[in-house]
Amino acid sequence: MKSKHPVQKAFSVAAFASLALNLTACATDTTLPQATVVPSVTSTPISTTPVPTVMTTPTAIVTPTAQNTSSTYKDGTYSVQGTYISPGGPESIAVKLTVQKGVVTDAEVIPAAVLPMSQRFQGEFVSGYKQLVIGKSIDELNLGRVSGSSLTPKGFNDAVAKIKAQARS
C-alpha cells in the first residue's frame, strides 16, 4: 500500500481529531453542538516523479545446530539424580543420557519418588518424555509439562544441568 501524500496525511489527522472531539462532546454533553468546523486544506498536485529506491543485499543468518556443540561436550553416557520439590517435599528422579556430538542419542529415566502422588506423576513423565529428548541438542533440553506431569520435568531439567556440567570438555 502506498503511503499518503503529506497534505493528505495532515487532512486525515485533522479530520480524525475533529471527529474524536465531536464524539467526546457527544459522550459527555447531552446537547448537540451547533456547528462542526472541519479545517479546509488546500492541496497541491501529487508529484508523479519516481522516488529512487535503495536496494540492500540480504545477509545470511547463522543459527547454531547440534553439530556446533560437538566441541563443548564429551561424548559418553552420564547418569545422575535430578531433584525437585513436590507439595509433599523433596523428590528425585534418576536420569541417564547418552550424548554424542552434543546430541542426546539415548535416554532412560528411572522413577525414584517416595510419595504415591509423585510416583504416579513420575510414571506419567516416563511414558512421554523420550520423544522430546532423543535427537535433540543437549543445550535445547528444557522440558515443561510432560504427559500431565509438571514437577517431574523440573527434576529432569536439574539432571540435565548436572550432566552438562559433567560432559563439558
Side-chain angles (χ1 to χ4, degrees), residues 24-40:
T24 305
C26 290
T28 58
D29 191 2
T30 56
T31 62
L32 294 175
Q34 295 297 326
T36 302
V37 178
V38 176
S40 67

Side-chain angles (χ1 to χ4, degrees), residues 66-91:
Q67 290 78 20
N68 293 346
T69 62
S70 63
S71 64
T72 306
Y73 301 104
K74 290 184 271 184
D75 290 353
T77 300
Y78 302 89
S79 298
V80 298
Q81 288 285 111
T83 59
Y84 64 99
I85 303 298
S86 75
E91 290 287 3

Side-chain angles (χ1 to χ4, degrees), residues 16-74:
F16 179 74
S18 175
L19 177 63
L21 286 173
N22 286 333
L23 289 175
T24 305
C26 290
T28 58
D29 191 2
T30 56
T31 62
L32 294 175
Q34 295 297 326
T36 302
V37 178
V38 176
S40 67
V41 177
T42 8
S43 65
T44 55
I46 298 173
S47 170
T48 58
T49 308
V51 177
T53 313
V54 177
M55 299 293 286
T56 59
T57 332
T59 56
I61 298 172
V62 178
T63 55
T65 62
Q67 290 78 20
N68 293 346
T69 62
S70 63
S71 64
T72 306
Y73 301 104
K74 290 184 271 184

Side-chain angles (χ1 to χ4, degrees), residues 4 25-26 60 76 78 107 130 160 164:
K4 294 182 179 181
C26 290
Y78 302 89
K130 274 196 177 191
V160 169
K164 286 166 66 173

